[in-house]
Amino acid sequence: MSYNSYFITNGAKIVFHALPYLGMLVLLGLIVLNIPFFLTNRRSVALFIVMALLFLLTYRHTGYDQILYIYLVPFIVPAVGGERLLLTDFKVRTIVTYLIIILSPVLGTVNIFNASTGRWRYSLGFYNPNSVSTILLMIAMEAIVLRKLLPQWLAWSVNIVSFILMVAFTQSRTSLLIYVAFLGLQMLFEYEDRIFGKIKWILAVFPLLLLAFSYFVTYKYMHQPTGIYALLNSLLSNRLYLGSYFMERYSVNMWGQQLNFHNNGVEVGTLDNGYLNTLLRKGLVPTVAITVIIGWALYKLCKPKYRKYLAPILCLVLVGVTENIPFRFGYNAFLILLAVLVNNKSREVEVK
């Protein structure tokens, strides 16, 4: 969270560049501690070899990126405990986020005027309103998922305050809609058992479907920016236009490329769609690998003991259509749930 604060991004460049590599070292250290847990199972060993190769190849072709953590996360949980990690993340994320918000008048912030609504969107000490809205959404979802492990007054207070900050100050329509969808899905998944036999295979391919959908609608808008595609572009706050801008200039290849977000010295905007962003920057192989990994995890989260974790990661996968940050471990702590992919002969890795 501090990595994404306005102060670190603009006022402490050394820390800004050092934190990602420090985080990578911590993850690698946790993997070393967990070697005895997953090396006793041939399937886990094979998965580790595949993930390690993908990690090295992706890093070799495109350098460091938080998306690399997805290859490592399944192997950090067994000795630590997934729910314990989520609980620790909730406490640290909440304290640091609220502290940055409180100190934002001193540390600095950036606010954006929304011409379509005539209102200001506040970043509350972070890099932009979308960044802090996603972090607040994460905190609100963690508070509900972990509510049985927390004092009830604390869980609901943090949830309500985070929701108010997200809606009233950042004015993120996406975060509001995802939060409402999360509440509905959380209740459905916790109290309805009969649907999982029907939907688990759909969930397994859901990230791939969103990848195909993102590419298809952007391609159609690029060649026919009228009618329903123009309406969809408006609803998505010009994201189809920006996606088509980059698709016209960069082709899809196996291992990605560097994207230039400036034209004649002027910033053209960002490629917010997480699926297109990953596809163009990282390439076809890493993008398909990551969507398959997440889809496989969604399938396994349909098991009764994991179902309370299904709604948040499913919602954050959906957010990937409009935002790039859900694929980044610093924002999306629920990527810890990828630990369900690693099994041990004597016991299945417990996420709860």
Side-chain angles (χ1 to χ4, degrees):
M1 285 72 66
S2 59
Y3 173 75
N4 294 289
S5 70
Y6 179 84
F7 173 72
I8 296 294
T9 305
N10 293 277
K13 292 294 185 180
I14 295 178
V15 178
F16 178 78
H17 292 294
L19 279 177
Y21 294 97
L22 178 61
M24 186 66 71
L25 286 175
V26 171
L27 285 182
L28 292 173
L30 288 173
I31 289 176
V32 172
L33 291 176
N34 281 287
I35 286 177
F37 288 88
F38 63 82
L39 286 187
T40 57
N41 186 316
R42 289 182 180 178
R43 195 182 77 171
S44 297
V45 172
L47 180 63
F48 177 75
I49 293 173
V50 171
M51 293 287 207
L53 286 173
L54 286 169
F55 175 90
L56 293 172
L57 288 170
T58 304
Y59 181 81
R60 178 178 178 273
H61 285 90
T62 57
Y64 171 83
D65 192 287
Q66 286 192 45
I67 208 165
L68 291 170
Y69 293 159
I70 291 178
Y71 299 133
L72 303 179
V73 168
F75 305 98
I76 70 173
V77 172
V80 182
E83 194 163 74
R84 189 185 309 163
L85 275 176
L86 277 177
L87 189 60
T88 301
D89 178 85
F90 168 75
K91 294 175 180 177
V92 174
R93 186 181 297 268
T94 302
I95 292 171
V96 173
T97 299
Y98 284 9
L99 189 61
I100 290 173
I101 292 173
I102 292 170
L103 295 177
S104 60
V106 178
L107 298 178
T109 189
V110 57
N111 302 318
I112 298 174
F113 183 73
N114 189 338
S116 62
T117 63
R119 299 174 64 184
W120 285 93
R121 298 185 63 201
Y122 298 95
S123 298
L124 301 175
F126 287 83
Y127 187 66
N128 60 55
N130 289 339
S131 297
V132 67
S133 70
T134 304
I135 293 173
L136 291 168
L137 173 65
M138 176 65 59
I139 291 173
M141 291 195 296
E142 282 184 317
I144 291 178
V145 171
L146 300 170
R147 64 189 184 278
K148 294 181 180 179
L149 302 176
L150 298 165
Q152 291 300 295
W153 68 267
L154 177 62
W156 291 109
S157 295
V158 170
N159 178 61
I160 292 171
V161 171
S162 298
F163 175 78
I164 292 173
L165 291 172
M166 180 177 67
V167 175
F169 289 88
T170 72
Q171 299 175 39
S172 172
R173 293 178 300 174
T174 300
S175 294
L176 174 60
L177 292 173
I178 292 299
Y179 180 78
V180 172
F182 161 73
L183 291 178
L185 289 173
Q186 189 72 12
M187 289 188 288
L188 178 65
F189 293 160
E190 285 193 14
Y191 300 107
E192 179 56 63
D193 295 328
R194 294 171 294 180
I195 64 170
F196 288 97
K198 301 176 182 178
I199 69 168
K200 61 182 181 180
W201 289 107
I202 298 175
L203 295 179
V205 298
F206 189 57
L208 280 171
L209 292 176
L210 291 177
L211 170 62
F213 170 80
S214 297
Y215 187 89
F216 174 78
V217 296
T218 305
Y219 179 85
K220 294 294 288 185
Y221 177 85
M222 184 168 61
H223 294 281
Q224 186 183 345
T226 58
I228 188 172
Y229 300 108
L231 175 62
L232 188 58
N233 179 59
S234 178
L235 292 174
L236 293 175
S237 302
N238 217 34
R239 285 178 171 87
L240 290 187
Y241 168 77
L242 289 170
S244 66
Y245 173 88
F246 288 101
M247 280 182 59
E248 284 180 327
R249 288 158 177 79
Y250 300 94
S251 59
V252 176
N253 57 46
M254 291 294 106
W255 295 103
Q257 63 234 300
Q258 292 289 331
L259 303 185
N260 184 6
F261 294 96
H262 293 81
N263 185 14
N264 296 323
V266 179
E267 186 176 359
V268 297
T270 58
L271 183 53
D272 285 328
N273 185 302
Y275 295 96
L276 286 182
N277 189 301
T278 306
L279 183 63
L280 293 178
R281 287 194 310 111
K282 295 301 175 184
L284 186 62
V285 174
T287 304
V288 171
I290 288 166
T291 52
V292 168
I293 289 167
I294 295 175
W296 186 12
L298 288 173
Y299 175 85
K300 298 197 73 172
L301 287 171
C302 289
K303 294 182 178 181
K305 61 182 176 180
Y306 299 144
R307 286 175 188 167
K308 70 177 182 178
Y309 303 108
L310 181 58
I313 195 168
L314 180 60
C315 287
L316 289 164
V317 166
L318 185 59
V319 172
V321 174
T322 61
E323 302 292 342
N324 182 40
I325 46 186
F327 299 121
R328 301 180 184 180
F329 191 64
Y331 283 95
N332 185 1
F334 287 103
L335 289 175
I336 290 170
L337 304 177
L338 297 179
V340 298
L341 302 180
V342 180
N343 293 319
N344 184 282
K345 283 184 177 180
S346 59
R347 64 178 181 89
E348 188 166 27
V349 175
E350 292 289 341
V351 180
K352 67 176 185 175

